[in-house]
Amino acid sequence: MGLFSFLKKKNDAPADDIFVMPDTRLRAGEPSRLDSEAERERQRAIARATAAKIDEIELAMASDIFDDEPAWGSARRPAAANAPVISPPEPEEALEPPVPPASAPAVEESAILYANGQAAAAEALLRDSLQDFGRGERLPWWMLFDLYQATGREADFESLAIDYASHFETSPPAWQPLLPTEAPLLVTGIAASEAFGAVLDSSAAPRLQRLLASSAPLVRIDLGAVRSVTPEGCAGLLSALQALRKDGRELVLAGADTLLGVLRPMLPVGDRSPGEAPWLLLLELLLLSNREKDFEESAMDYCVTFEVSPPSFETPKRVSTAAPAPVKGDRFLLPPVAGGPSAALLDAIDAYAEGRALLVLDCSRLARMDYACASALQSRLRAHAAQGRDIELRELNHLVAALLRLLGFAQDGAAGEVDTGAIRLYPHRY
């Protein structure tokens, strides 16, 4: 079967085929390497212990590896003199390296299969390819992780994570679904966004009030840079998150894991000195991240510490999580699935582009984009690049990023024109 024989969408395939796939952890016919549930738990414990020891080394290595990596597309042209000032991406945001030559055929064909709604076939191809490449080629693994996250298959993700930790002798990715499993996020458009700095204190109050007062259909809060907190800062953020949840506002919460890592060490059981606000913020973040087991355990610790009844868990309905990203300012949120007629989406992007020198398309919720939509989007974005705008597609999952690279997205507009902008792809990092 030829590589591009999958570009035509099968008429008999149901529209939601991407979300209905067989429950296979390994390719057909291959026995599981884990003989029992107890063995799986033992392997997972080993993987986590390994992760704890090498995380510090990995952070330093990741900085060395990613900081020097060039963007997809050539260097950015200067914006026009009257263009608004927009913060550029910070250097630690990494771009994915080019597709390794050995894995390129499997990567490209699986990206096309997935875009065409044939997720089961894409999964089988990626599964078959995992043992064929050397230790340095991780992209097929990342694509399979994203496929499982996009379709809500946490058990398959965790099983693959154990294999990943064993194969690469490094910590595996953490489960972070791209789509909520019960209440799909449907709003697309410009989001009200705030990214908080290293210290979360009372100075955050005006920015939180701005988010609450905004009429934007979606609110994005980025906590990935937070390294310390005060009780006043915790109380302010807690109040804002509870208000957003009570109002039913759609929320993208980025970098929640970072803030959880700051809060946990400062909250020993039985110690009331930090106050209740940090404890309650910890519980709110666990609730919004849909971590019921962790929530229940921390709720009991809170109950013991303050001798009160523990709060109850409520499944979040309009919340998604995303990796933290350094670009500040308004972003355009792409929908969970970009397919079919795309005129309305492209017109909305055009409206967002008015008066902007930098267009940031936030793909943190985007699980799949079909081939027709990707082609139409490429044509529209190149028209904006030809007018001197720079365009960034941020937090792409690796399946969508592979499709866009195959189409030649990361190229400049008309060559030789000094006012031509550039299109860049920023896949999320594992």
Side-chain angles (χ1 to χ4, degrees):
M1 189 175 291
L3 173 62
F4 292 96
S5 62
F6 302 101
L7 298 186
K8 181 178 180 182
K9 187 172 180 66
K10 306 295 186 293
N11 292 330
D12 58 347
D16 58 350
D17 179 60
I18 181 176
F19 301 108
V20 180
M21 293 184 289
D23 185 18
T24 58
R25 294 210 325 266
L26 300 175
R27 55 183 179 273
E30 181 179 335
S32 172
R33 298 195 302 113
L34 304 178
D35 296 332
S36 66
E37 190 66 26
E39 175 65 11
R40 173 185 291 185
E41 290 300 325
R42 189 182 73 83
Q43 292 284 356
R44 187 173 292 121
I46 293 173
R48 288 171 178 165
T50 302
K53 294 179 181 178
I54 64 178
D55 275 346
E56 184 176 351
I57 298 174
E58 277 198 322
L59 287 174
M61 291 179 63
S63 177
D64 291 340
I65 292 171
F66 289 115
D67 286 354
D68 297 330
E69 206 56 63
W72 285 97
S74 63
R76 180 181 298 170
R77 271 74 170 176
N82 59 351
V85 177
I86 301 177
S87 301
E90 297 176 8
E92 63 266 21
E93 179 72 6
L95 305 184
E96 186 186 329
V99 180
S103 61
V107 163
E108 293 173 354
E109 189 169 351
S110 59
I112 293 170
L113 285 165
Y114 182 78
N116 199 44
Q118 301 179 56
E123 177 193 5
L125 182 60
L126 289 169
R127 275 288 187 185
D128 286 338
S129 74
L130 293 187
Q131 302 301 324
D132 295 341
F133 310 120
R135 190 167 289 252
E137 299 193 31
R138 305 192 185 197
L139 184 53
W141 293 80
W142 295 343
M143 294 172 71
L144 195 53
F145 279 127
D146 283 341
L147 188 152
Y148 289 148
Q149 293 193 122
T151 52
R153 296 167 61 184
E154 185 173 4
D156 293 314
F157 181 98
E158 294 294 346
S159 179
L160 181 65
I162 294 172
D163 291 340
Y164 181 90
S166 174
H167 184 80
F168 292 105
E169 298 180 356
T170 187
S171 56
W175 169 255
Q176 192 173 38
L178 299 179
L179 285 176
T181 57
E182 294 186 3
L185 299 171
L186 303 177
V187 176
T188 299
I190 301 175
S193 177
E194 284 288 352
F196 293 94
V199 180
L200 180 66
D201 55 19
S202 59
S203 65
R207 300 164 69 187
L208 292 168
Q209 287 301 316
R210 186 189 74 81
L211 291 178
L212 294 174
S214 171
S215 60
L218 188 147
V219 172
R220 178 189 174 91
I221 298 177
D222 194 329
L223 305 168
V226 177
R227 297 294 180 267
S228 65
V229 299
T230 67
E232 296 78 13
C234 290
L237 179 59
L238 171 66
S239 177
L241 292 175
Q242 290 176 334
L244 291 169
R245 182 159 57 90
K246 181 179 179 181
D247 293 345
R249 300 281 294 277
E250 190 166 328
L251 173 65
V252 174
L253 189 63
D257 282 344
T258 301
L259 183 51
L260 285 169
V262 173
L263 290 170
R264 283 193 175 103
M266 60 182 286
L267 300 176
V269 179
D271 183 2
R272 300 186 183 186
S273 61
E276 288 194 62
W279 278 95
L280 294 174
L281 178 59
L282 174 74
L283 294 174
E284 184 70 16
L285 292 172
L286 291 173
L287 186 153
L288 292 173
S289 301
N290 201 22
R291 301 180 185 181
E292 185 172 3
K293 181 179 179 181
D294 292 338
F295 177 94
E296 297 295 345
E297 292 175 354
S298 296
M300 290 306 299
D301 291 341
Y302 168 77
C303 171
V304 170
T305 300
F306 291 95
E307 299 179 357
V308 295
S309 298
S312 57
F313 183 84
E314 301 175 12
T315 302
K317 299 185 181 303
R318 296 178 64 82
V319 181
S320 67
T321 55
V327 172
K328 301 176 177 64
D330 289 335
R331 295 163 158 238
F332 186 91
L333 273 293
L334 291 180
V337 177
S342 56
L345 174 62
L346 299 180
D347 290 346
I349 292 174
D350 287 345
Y352 162 70
E354 289 297 322
R356 287 181 166 85
L358 173 64
L359 310 185
V360 181
L361 305 187
D362 189 327
C363 306
S364 59
R365 300 180 304 159
L366 179 63
R368 182 172 70 91
M369 179 181 292
D370 71 20
Y371 186 88
C373 182
S375 298
L377 179 63
Q378 180 186 46
S379 177
R380 190 66 60 93
L381 294 184
R382 282 187 172 176
H384 286 295
Q387 297 173 18
R389 295 185 175 97
D390 285 336
I391 301 140
E392 298 178 355
L393 285 81
R394 289 268 170 180
E395 299 178 58
L396 284 158
N397 77 57
H398 293 280
L399 290 151
V400 176
L403 175 70
L404 301 188
R405 285 197 308 273
L406 182 61
L407 289 175
F409 253 69
Q411 297 178 359
D412 287 338
E417 297 184 12
V418 296
D419 61 341
T420 297
I423 303 173
R424 294 177 176 82
L425 308 181
Y426 289 81
H428 71 83
R429 293 173 59 177
Y430 274 129

